[in-house]
Amino acid sequence: MGFFGGKGAELAVGAELAAVLPSSPKPWYKTRRILHLNLILLVPLLSSASIGYDGSMMNGLQILTQWKSFFSNPEGAILGLMNAVYPLGKVFALLLVTPLSDRYGRKLPMLIGMVAAVAFAIMQGMAQNLATFVTARALLGFFTSFMSQPSPVIITELAYPTQRGKVTALYNTFFYFGAILAAWCTYGTFKIQSTWSWRIPSLLQGALPFIQLLGLYFLPESPRYLVSRGRKEEARKILADFHAGGDLNSPLVDFEMDEIERAVTSEAEVLSSTSWLDLIRTPANRKRTLIAVIVGWFSQWNGVGVVSYYLTLVLNTIGITEPKDQTLINGLLQIFNWLMATFCGAMMVDRIGRRTLFLLSTAGMLASYICWTGLTSAFVTSKDSNVGRAVVAFIFIYYFFYDIAWTPMLQAYPVEIYPYTLRGRGLSITLITSFVGLIVGNQVNPIAMQSIGWKYYIVFCCLLAFLLVLVWFLFPETKGHTLEEIREVFEGKLETSNAKLEDTEKGEEHPKRAHIEL
């Protein structure tokens, strides 16, 4: 899940950790322990796909005449409600799942979420009226938070050190994997004349959680959680098995255990394990939390919500009204998004850097939205089909810039800027803010699109300009640091940080650079 070794390892985690990495001439996909670890991490990675499936499925269902007629052609506030109950359920669940994950580990809430997601997908697919459909969606939203909150946390706490940034960034790119499945599923069922045209995609929303359930047994618990509970030997065994080929005395394992124990001990002295007020108690934590709120809110209010949940309304404004054409564009857009988010976003976080990607992404979205707005205005006046096609092209261009940062780093950036004790609560703040933004958007966007059409896009041009200023002044660079060292970016040099390498190299000579081709 990466392309570099040697010097690239230092770019990803810094010189100190790179110096104690096991020496190997093999690329990661030929190194058994890392390949094994990455395959196991597909279990939490698929949690994002389960979320992505819903958004694309709702886009697809809104195109299907069978779905619209069964539910009496929902629009405006009713359509907004059908979309909004899903993230609304997530908001309430996050207040419960965060302490559950911190107290009982990352795996237990994932298990609860997977079982419930399968059950309520069946309820949704078999719904006989609007009330049942909406209730099933609310419960699906509630219990998918039990999957989506712990998943990026356990990924970042388990991943191989030099791949942590990329693998964690890959988490939200899997959103599009789920979106692709849903988009092409609705494309494949739109010709069915019965209600099964929408019931089949609705039932299949439980397929990914079921697959995850089959693999959850093989996923180890977070070593940081185990250390925080005094289970240090279990944590060392997991790090040895997956990072050092089973060598319990590996310099890498010693280094990681030393960092984790120092961090957990230090945080226990100053931070509560339960108080949400710790998120704003110090200047460093206030900055972290402000960033988390910005990332969450603007992940929904940078214009993407207009396209992601209301693609059919956008296409209608530019003259593309046939269901076949709309479902095809939706399917192609999801494939494009996944490829861009993966190869131009997640895989570049350690080469280009998080801050630079955020700046490039936001500036590109602003320029694209300005062009998109102007072209849509021209189309409304002229009805020129060439202008309409240009608008569709700019939807793809806009998504390219969105995908290189705001897709891969929605969860990856918040989970790495917070220390262990606050990591779950910090991510929950991002997710809650994002879902609140989505709920507001689901109520406002369809009404605004119906009332003022393309002029609504001007609002997002202004918001994107404001966001670019916020990113410039507030977002620090975090590449080149281990998970524990990122704390120093916000709080300054820690007293114990200089002793880490010495503690792991007593009496031994270790290679100064990693040779695993990542």
Side-chain angles (χ1 to χ4, degrees):
M1 293 186 176
F3 301 123
F4 52 78
K7 185 68 175 177
E10 293 186 19
L11 285 175
V13 296
E16 289 187 17
L17 193 149
V20 296
L21 290 170
S23 177
S24 172
K26 297 179 181 179
W28 71 265
Y29 49 85
K30 292 185 178 179
T31 304
R32 184 174 179 178
R33 66 181 185 281
I34 303 177
L35 177 61
H36 183 200
L37 174 61
N38 289 339
L39 288 174
I40 289 174
L41 289 178
L42 285 172
V43 173
L45 282 168
L46 284 174
S47 294
S48 184
S50 297
I51 312 304
Y53 187 99
D54 182 82
S56 183
M57 181 194 74
M58 285 304 296
N59 258 338
L61 295 189
Q62 291 169 57
I63 296 169
L64 298 177
T65 56
Q66 300 91 327
W67 181 83
K68 289 187 287 188
S69 62
F70 188 86
F71 292 109
S72 303
N73 296 304
E75 60 182 17
I78 295 297
L79 179 59
L81 174 66
M82 297 177 80
N83 282 316
V85 292
Y86 187 80
L88 183 61
K90 287 179 169 297
V91 171
F92 288 109
L94 285 168
L95 300 175
L96 175 63
V97 71
T98 301
L100 183 68
S101 176
D102 287 342
R103 182 170 182 177
Y104 296 106
R106 316 307 190 192
K107 291 181 65 175
L108 177 61
M110 291 176 67
L111 174 63
I112 295 170
M114 291 168 191
V115 172
V118 173
F120 292 117
I122 296 172
M123 177 180 173
Q124 175 182 251
M126 302 308 294
Q128 298 299 316
N129 51 55
L130 178 63
T132 304
F133 187 83
V134 170
T135 301
R137 288 188 51 69
L139 291 169
L140 273 170
F142 184 90
F143 282 103
T144 50
S145 278
F146 284 68
M147 297 154 53
S148 64
Q149 195 275 353
S151 289
V153 176
I154 199 169
I155 290 169
T156 204
E157 292 177 350
L158 273 176
Y160 193 72
T162 57
Q163 297 185 340
R164 176 186 54 78
K166 293 184 293 298
V167 179
T168 310
L170 276 174
Y171 172 78
N172 209 43
T173 69
F174 271 73
F175 180 95
Y176 290 122
F177 176 69
I180 289 167
L181 292 179
W184 289 102
C185 182
T186 52
Y187 182 74
T189 62
F190 85 94
K191 290 184 179 180
I192 300 175
Q193 296 306 308
S194 69
T195 60
W196 286 105
S197 63
W198 64 265
R199 292 189 189 279
I200 290 173
S202 298
L203 288 167
L204 288 177
Q205 189 165 355
L208 289 174
F210 179 74
I211 293 171
Q212 289 178 272
L213 197 55
L214 297 178
L216 184 63
Y217 172 80
F218 303 98
L219 180 71
E221 185 53 87
S222 162
R224 287 162 177 83
Y225 165 76
L226 294 173
V227 170
S228 74
R229 294 293 161 177
R231 297 157 62 181
K232 296 180 182 180
E233 292 308 312
E234 292 178 60
R236 177 176 287 273
K237 180 71 165 57
I238 290 171
L239 291 172
D241 287 345
F242 291 101
H243 292 185
D247 184 359
L248 292 170
N249 298 312
S250 163
L252 172 59
V253 175
D254 288 340
F255 185 96
E256 290 183 291
M257 285 295 296
D258 180 65
E259 273 205 329
I260 294 169
E261 289 177 36
R262 287 175 186 273
V264 169
T265 302
S266 171
E267 291 166 28
E269 294 173 357
V270 296
L271 295 173
S272 164
S273 62
T274 58
S275 176
W276 290 74
L277 291 177
D278 282 331
L279 294 171
I280 56 172
R281 205 179 297 279
T282 67
N285 286 346
R286 285 193 289 273
K287 182 176 181 179
R288 289 181 175 108
T289 301
L290 177 58
I291 292 171
V293 169
I294 290 170
V295 171
W297 181 264
F298 281 101
S299 69
Q300 301 299 333
W301 278 87
N302 55 23
V304 70
V306 174
V307 180
S308 64
Y309 266 77
Y310 299 98
L311 179 63
T312 179
L313 299 179
V314 174
L315 294 177
N316 286 340
T317 65
I318 60 173
I320 299 175
T321 58
E322 290 295 322
K324 182 179 179 180
D325 295 333
Q326 291 187 351
T327 51
L328 180 60
I329 289 173
N330 187 31
L332 292 173
L333 181 60
Q334 305 313 326
I335 294 174
F336 173 84
N337 285 336
W338 194 27
L339 293 174
M340 294 304 102
T342 300
F343 295 105
C344 299
M347 293 300 183
M348 295 293 110
V349 294
D350 289 325
R351 287 173 178 257
I352 298 176
R354 283 70 154 166
R355 172 181 165 83
T356 303
L357 281 173
F358 269 122
L359 288 170
L360 288 173
S361 172
T362 308
M365 287 193 296
L366 174 59
S368 300
Y369 233 93
I370 291 171
C371 295
W372 182 12
T373 304
L375 286 167
T376 304
S377 172
F379 174 81
V380 170
T381 302
S382 66
K383 303 299 181 184
D384 186 336
S385 61
N386 290 326
V387 177
R389 283 191 286 271
V391 171
V392 175
F394 266 98
I395 290 176
F396 281 79
I397 294 170
Y398 165 83
Y399 257 112
F400 167 78
F401 287 108
Y402 179 87
D403 289 334
I404 64 174
W406 290 90
T407 293
M409 287 189 283
L410 172 60
Q411 287 94 353
Y413 198 59
V415 297
E416 71 178 10
I417 65 174
Y418 278 101
Y420 167 77
T421 307
L422 295 178
R423 189 165 294 135
R425 281 169 279 174
L427 177 60
S428 291
I429 288 294
T430 297
L431 295 176
I432 289 171
T433 309
S434 177
F435 295 143
V436 170
L438 181 57
I439 292 165
V440 174
N442 283 339
Q443 295 300 312
V444 173
N445 289 341
I447 297 171
M449 289 290 291
Q450 283 185 336
S451 301
I452 59 176
W454 68 268
K455 294 177 184 177
Y456 185 47
Y457 304 158
I458 298 172
V459 173
F460 294 104
C461 293
C462 298
L463 288 174
L464 284 166
F466 177 59
L467 176 59
L468 185 60
V469 174
L470 291 178
V471 172
W472 178 268
F473 286 106
L474 292 175
F475 285 37
E477 184 54 71
T478 57
K479 78 170 184 176
H481 299 280
T482 66
L483 202 55
E484 278 68 35
E485 287 172 348
I486 291 174
R487 182 178 175 185
E488 297 178 5
V489 174
F490 290 86
E491 301 177 18
K493 198 74 172 174
L494 303 178
E495 292 181 4
T496 58
S497 61
N498 293 327
K500 288 181 293 189
L501 187 60
E502 296 176 10
D503 290 345
T504 61
E505 291 188 335
K506 288 179 180 178
E508 294 186 48
E509 292 290 330
H510 301 303
K512 292 188 177 182
R513 184 165 293 169
H515 299 295
I516 294 178
E517 293 297 328
L518 302 170

